[in-house]
Amino acid sequence: MQSRVLRHFLAVAEHHNLTAAAEALHISQPALTKSIKQLEASIGSPLFERHQKGVLLTKKVKILLRRARLMEVEAACPR
């Protein structure tokens, strides 16, 4: 998983809102949506339940979230 896609996924999971996550990442909301859709396509499963007021993690993706956070920590550690 690319670090950019990982950051995008984590931001949406943290903010529960694509617009807020895009603002935090300093990218456009359509670019973030595209990135998330590409990740969903590569995994073969939706990551979020989309609602008018934001997004919720699907039950299946909670394991991915834990792994993504671990990958982020590992990437930040100097070798």
Side-chain angles (χ1 to χ4, degrees), residues 4-5 7-10 12-13 18 30-42 45 47-48 50:
R4 175 187 57 83
V5 174
R7 284 191 317 272
H8 292 180
F9 168 70
L10 289 171
V12 175
L18 287 163
L32 179 58
T33 298
K34 182 178 178 181
S35 179
I36 295 298
K37 285 186 178 186
Q38 288 173 343
L39 180 58
E40 288 175 328
S42 71
S45 180
L47 299 173
F48 303 100
R50 288 151 173 89

Side-chain angles (χ1 to χ4, degrees), residues 8-74:
H8 292 180
F9 168 70
L10 289 171
V12 175
E14 177 183 330
H15 291 279
H16 299 280
N17 184 287
L18 287 163
T19 303
E23 289 174 6
L25 292 166
H26 305 289
I27 64 172
S28 70
Q29 185 268 328
L32 179 58
T33 298
K34 182 178 178 181
S35 179
I36 295 298
K37 285 186 178 186
Q38 288 173 343
L39 180 58
E40 288 175 328
S42 71
I43 291 174
S45 180
L47 299 173
F48 303 100
E49 294 176 11
R50 288 151 173 89
H51 301 279
Q52 286 184 342
K53 294 186 179 186
V55 297
L56 298 173
L57 288 171
T58 60
K59 291 179 183 179
K60 291 181 182 179
V61 85
K62 291 183 182 185
I63 293 171
L64 176 60
L65 178 59
R66 279 184 260 153
R67 296 271 181 164
R69 286 181 176 150
L70 180 59
M71 290 170 64
E72 185 179 54
V73 169
E74 290 175 345

